[in-house]
Amino acid sequence: MQALKCGSRRGGPRPDGSSWPREPSEPLAGLLASLSLRQDQLSISEPPAPRGRGFRQARVGGSQAKYLAQIIVMGAQVVGRAFARALRQEFAASRAAADARGRAGHQSAATSNLSGLSLQEAQQILNVSKLSPEEIQKNYEHLFKVNDKSVGGSFYLQSKVVRAKERLEEELRIQAQEDRERQQPPKT
């Protein structure tokens, strides 16, 4: 057989019966010429099927990839369901809080939004069950002193105590205003 020459314009049959291109691309022709390959050596065929131990490893690797893909998909589904459930719970809690604010009155809800503390949260911070000014003041003074930075307390907690007192005092003011409005006779 004759060697393929660079830039050869002559086509001929391939070993598989198809014909060679009439004008091979320049980089391919240069590569073939530099390797001194013959036409019969250029046939493209399927690689032999893997046999023996390597073949089993290849099949196991493929099934491992399949299982890994299944695990990833199942994990994504679990995370998606958990996210959806958490979102539904958050919407329900938000709706419940909005309903509670609606019952408590618009001024109280606005005050909660401005101060960043709800009435219940402020009561928990100062450990008061009823809104009495004396109990609020007594618990405030105690918690403010205990959380003073000079005695090893926390400025953050001290500021929370101050904000809780402000929120409860504002709620007392709102309740007093509502009581005054109820006691006044309606104007006709």
Side-chain angles (χ1 to χ4, degrees):
M1 297 246 158
Q2 47 178 272
L4 184 66
K5 296 181 182 174
C6 181
S8 170
R9 293 188 182 265
R10 207 179 92 166
R14 281 184 167 172
D16 64 356
S18 62
S19 62
W20 290 96
R22 295 252 179 232
E23 193 168 320
S25 65
E26 192 60 37
L28 180 60
L31 178 65
L32 292 175
S34 68
L35 294 174
S36 300
L37 295 176
R38 297 186 322 231
Q39 251 183 338
D40 63 337
Q41 294 174 329
L42 294 177
S43 67
I44 299 173
S45 63
E46 293 287 325
R51 295 183 185 161
R53 195 169 146 188
F55 181 63
R56 281 189 182 158
Q57 288 175 350
R59 285 185 58 186
V60 170
S63 65
Q64 285 177 348
K66 179 182 173 183
Y67 290 133
L68 182 62
Q70 287 176 345
I71 289 171
I72 290 171
V73 168
M74 287 173 47
Q77 289 174 346
V78 168
V79 169
R81 280 189 223 118
F83 181 73
R85 189 178 321 117
L87 200 57
R88 281 193 300 270
Q89 288 175 351
E90 183 61 31
F91 284 144
S94 176
R95 212 175 307 124
D99 291 344
R101 281 194 302 265
R103 287 190 303 267
H106 295 290
Q107 268 189 330
S108 181
T111 303
S112 291
N113 286 338
L114 288 175
S115 67
L117 287 175
S118 68
L119 178 61
Q120 292 80 13
E121 191 176 7
Q123 286 176 321
Q124 287 176 348
I125 290 172
L126 288 181
N127 194 25
V128 294
S129 55
K130 291 184 175 180
L131 291 180
S132 68
E134 299 82 23
E135 188 180 2
I136 291 171
Q137 187 62 34
K138 182 181 114 184
N139 289 357
Y140 165 75
E141 288 174 359
H142 170 72
L143 291 171
F144 191 83
K145 287 178 188 174
V146 169
N147 289 305
D148 190 11
K149 188 132 176 116
S150 63
V151 295
S154 166
F155 180 72
Y156 172 76
L157 292 177
Q158 199 175 33
S159 68
K160 279 292 206 182
V161 168
V162 171
R163 297 293 168 247
K165 179 183 180 241
E166 290 173 351
R167 174 65 179 97
L168 293 176
E169 287 176 343
E170 186 64 25
E171 191 64 31
L172 286 172
R173 187 190 64 74
I174 291 170
Q175 285 181 357
Q177 183 181 3
E178 287 176 354
D179 288 343
R180 281 193 304 264
E181 288 176 359
R182 275 190 237 130
Q183 290 174 357
Q184 289 180 356
K187 295 180 183 177
T188 56

